[in-house]
Amino acid sequence: MNNGYFKYYKSSILISLLAILAIALYLAKDFWGLSISIVSIMTSLLFVIDKWLWNTRLFSWMFWVDDFSGRYEGWLEYEYRDENCQIKTGSLKHVKIVHQSGSKIIIFSFTIKPDGTASSMSESQGMYVEKTNGDKHFNLIYSYLNQGSQEQGFSPHYGTEIIKVIGSKENKVLSGRYFTERLPFSTKGKFTDLKWVSNNEQHDF
């Protein structure tokens, strides 16, 4: 169960829970003569847990990943070559918004330009989560698609980000690096001091 819908569940606990629940429902159905669908009840329960209850104290023990959801704000330090092949560097305020359920993690990212407006948005297209050595932190590794910006002359492009998550609850901090295939020259950089600021998952645009 390392892939697909149940990839973030603890497989042994999930199997045990489903087996116990199926037996309990079967016995209840047989004892009281209930006309119920065991499969439908189990499916509905898993849907509710996945959508709304996965990060509650009552059900979080079913998952081996932490709750990463929320809004993070910090800095992006970038490096790219301009049309004259000169290396340009700098830093911009950066925002990541993590949407998470029991079965899915999606990350939206954008930077704040010097004039205060938001850059084009990036959306993660795949997600691989692993625990670091010692199982104390998590790495999030994913590709993303950036919508591009006609105003700045940036075409849509793919990139890859490797993010480390340190801390828990309201003390989570993200750091890591990225690189892109943006034309005419690829770009790269790193994220620094991206701190969790709220549970707000609303986008700025």
Side-chain angles (χ1 to χ4, degrees), residues 120-133:
S120 54
M121 185 180 67
S122 298
E123 179 180 352
S124 62
Q125 299 294 297
M127 181 65 61
Y128 174 74
V129 182
E130 65 178 7
K131 288 189 175 181
T132 61
N133 292 337

Side-chain angles (χ1 to χ4, degrees), residues 52-68:
W52 295 289
L53 303 178
W54 64 275
N55 59 351
T56 64
R57 183 174 298 181
L58 186 61
F59 291 98
S60 60
W61 55 272
M62 295 177 57
F63 302 87
W64 62 268
V65 298
D66 283 350
D67 179 3
F68 310 122

Side-chain angles (χ1 to χ4, degrees), residues 21-53:
L21 181 60
I23 293 171
L25 289 172
Y26 176 81
L27 293 176
K29 180 179 180 180
D30 184 62
F31 183 79
W32 283 294
L34 301 175
S35 179
I36 59 175
S37 169
I38 294 176
V39 173
S40 295
I41 292 176
M42 293 175 63
T43 301
S44 298
L45 178 60
L46 284 175
F47 176 80
V48 171
I49 292 173
D50 178 81
K51 191 73 174 178
W52 295 289
L53 303 178

Side-chain angles (χ1 to χ4, degrees), residues 1-2 5-6 34 57 96 129 148 157 165 170 175 194:
M1 292 189 180
N2 292 325
Y5 188 86
F6 297 110
L34 301 175
R57 183 174 298 181
K96 290 192 181 297
V129 182
H157 60 274
V165 185
E170 289 79 21
S175 63
L194 275 168

